[in-house]
Amino acid sequence: MSKARSIGFWTTTAATVFILASGGVADLMHASATEAGMTELGYPAYVMTILGFWKVLGAMAILAPRFPLGKGWDYAGTFFDLTGDLVSHIAHGSGVNPPFYTGSFAVCAVASWALRPASRTLGAPVFRGYGVVSWRAETPQVPAVV
């Protein structure tokens, strides 16, 4: 992995993790501004608890080493959350700033996913040491039937 790609990955990953973690904590705490925004968009307050729980776990999963399958699901969930927020703001007519920031965060999450090193992809070895266990199963050889 080149140095520029590594810097790009860690920069976008840090931004994504910060957005997930801070948003998740604000959701779990039912911060007044966050709750007012959710109510304004028409969502019930209990949705904040559900989203907050998954955002905090998602932030931890992105930073954790190994577990590439979990990271794939986490990036997908992050993208769904951010684009859902983007569409909600656009449908509500929230002005320019909320959709701009949410869209920027979605692009940042996609960039983090696209720039991730090979060790964080699904084809990467999971454990090193006594042997290698890989997520990628080999294609079984089936004898030809004549």
Side-chain angles (χ1 to χ4, degrees), residues 78-100:
T78 300
F79 183 74
F80 296 152
D81 174 62
L82 292 170
T83 55
D85 190 24
L86 173 68
V87 171
S88 294
H89 281 293
I90 290 171
H92 182 263
S94 298
V96 176
N97 285 343
F100 172 76

Side-chain angles (χ1 to χ4, degrees), residues 6-103:
S6 180
I7 290 170
F9 167 73
W10 284 110
T11 302
T12 56
T13 300
T16 301
V17 167
F18 176 75
I19 294 305
L20 283 176
S22 63
V25 169
D27 285 345
L28 287 173
M29 291 176 49
H30 285 252
S32 58
T34 307
E35 191 164 350
M38 290 290 278
T39 304
E40 183 181 334
L41 290 174
Y43 295 108
Y46 71 84
V47 172
M48 294 172 61
T49 304
I50 297 166
L51 289 175
F53 174 78
W54 290 111
K55 286 178 184 179
V56 170
L57 285 180
M60 291 188 298
I62 286 178
L63 287 180
R66 300 190 191 117
F67 309 112
L69 183 61
K71 289 183 194 317
W73 280 101
D74 182 55
Y75 277 115
T78 300
F79 183 74
F80 296 152
D81 174 62
L82 292 170
T83 55
D85 190 24
L86 173 68
V87 171
S88 294
H89 281 293
I90 290 171
H92 182 263
S94 298
V96 176
N97 285 343
F100 172 76
Y101 290 123
T102 305

Side-chain angles (χ1 to χ4, degrees), residues 123 132-142:
V132 176
V133 179
S134 177
W135 283 104
R136 227 178 253 182
E138 293 184 25
T139 307
Q141 299 297 323
V142 179

Side-chain angles (χ1 to χ4, degrees), residues 1-7 9-10 115-118:
M1 175 181 249
S2 72
K3 186 172 183 171
R5 184 179 173 110
S6 180
I7 290 170
F9 167 73
W10 284 110
L115 294 171
R116 71 197 189 284

